[in-house]
Amino acid sequence: MNLGNATMLSRLTGSTVVSGYPKTGTTYLSHLAAQATGKPYIEGSMRFALRPSVIHTHFRRIPASAVFSFRPVKKVMASFVTHRALDLDPGFAERLRKGTTTNADEERVHRIARALLEGSRRLPPPSVYYADVCRRGGTVVNVLDVMTSGSRAQRQLCAAWGVSAETLDRAVAAASALSEARRAGGHEFYNRPSDRVRDMIDADAALSNAIRDEVRRTEVVLGGNSNV
């Protein structure tokens, strides 16, 4: 359903597609797109987008009008590893909060991080993901800069979505307020304890160096393009 929405129905209905490597801010950018364009965001892609909508995905091979989110790779790795580890063992979150993680937890974290760095055909590592996006002419937006009025990221979004700077400023305020409300309300998605996972990753020197190398590769990919 998500693939159909992003690749086929979006072209027919004029929907707005938001994509990006997982945990780079695609959810925030989707809420922002909904606020800026007035189109409903189909959260979780639970239905077909038969009317103009905001579609959130992580696919790369999608319409050229799509906007891709980006966030620093080291932060993304900790968030994504946390997400994957919680999928495997929901009790991991409580152990993180209580500081009662085990050697098995740490080994799982390292194993997941290495698998993400190795990547797969469907989801390659960030440097390969964004190299493919850039080859296809995709617009990559640094989500951390979106909150700054007049920033390059804001100019990119105004051009991509056909909205004014004033409209986007209002949308940023509304999307940010929604994120803060969900975080304050205890929403699990907005309160995942990834800091401790980052410490676990950093404790493995070889893994930490491998992530640092991936950061550099991604910087080269995006630094050589005018997208970010």
Side-chain angles (χ1 to χ4, degrees):
M1 187 179 293
N2 188 223
L3 181 61
N5 280 340
T7 59
M8 293 182 290
L9 288 176
S10 65
R11 291 185 173 94
L12 297 174
T13 63
S15 289
T16 297
V17 181
V18 172
S19 192
Y21 189 84
K23 317 312 293 181
T24 57
T26 47
T27 297
Y28 174 83
L29 208 56
S30 296
H31 285 298
L32 178 57
Q35 294 289 341
T37 65
K39 300 172 185 175
Y41 169 33
I42 306 178
E43 201 152 6
S45 290
M46 298 302 291
R47 57 184 171 80
F48 283 116
L50 300 177
R51 296 179 180 179
S53 308
V54 172
I55 299 164
H56 167 189
T57 185
H58 298 294
F59 297 115
R60 289 164 288 155
R61 301 177 181 184
I62 52 180
S65 59
V67 170
F68 291 80
S69 59
F70 171 79
R71 202 162 62 100
V73 170
K74 187 171 182 179
K75 290 180 179 289
V76 168
M77 289 299 296
S79 297
F80 201 1
V81 169
T82 304
H83 176 81
R84 285 280 176 88
L86 290 173
D87 281 347
L88 294 171
D89 180 5
F92 180 50
E94 189 65 18
R95 294 195 297 278
L96 283 173
R97 293 189 180 95
K98 290 182 176 180
T100 58
T101 53
T102 65
N103 288 338
D105 289 326
E106 189 161 340
E107 289 170 3
R108 183 184 299 114
V109 162
H110 292 168
R111 186 168 61 252
I112 293 170
R114 290 190 179 96
L116 292 177
L117 286 175
E118 181 178 346
S120 64
R121 182 178 180 183
R122 181 176 180 182
L123 186 64
S127 61
V128 178
Y129 181 100
Y130 286 107
D132 192 15
V133 169
C134 291
R135 276 196 301 270
R136 296 171 184 279
T139 299
V140 183
V141 174
N142 190 327
V143 173
L144 297 186
D145 292 339
V146 166
M147 291 77 168
T148 302
S149 184
S151 65
R152 174 175 174 75
Q154 284 210 0
R155 295 196 300 273
Q156 287 176 293
L157 293 179
C158 286
W161 296 339
V163 299
S164 67
E166 293 76 15
T167 296
L168 191 64
D169 277 334
R170 290 194 295 270
V172 166
S176 298
L178 175 60
S179 294
E180 287 304 316
R182 290 188 173 185
R183 187 172 295 109
H187 193 296
E188 185 270 338
F189 182 82
Y190 292 83
N191 288 280
R192 288 177 172 170
S194 60
D195 287 347
R196 174 58 183 142
V197 171
R198 185 164 57 247
D199 291 341
M200 288 180 177
I201 291 172
D202 288 342
D204 184 317
L207 177 57
S208 182
N209 287 337
I211 291 175
R212 192 175 298 116
D213 290 342
E214 181 62 19
V215 168
R216 294 193 188 102
R217 285 191 290 269
T218 307
E219 287 175 347
V220 169
V221 167
L222 296 178
N225 289 271
S226 60
N227 292 308
V228 175

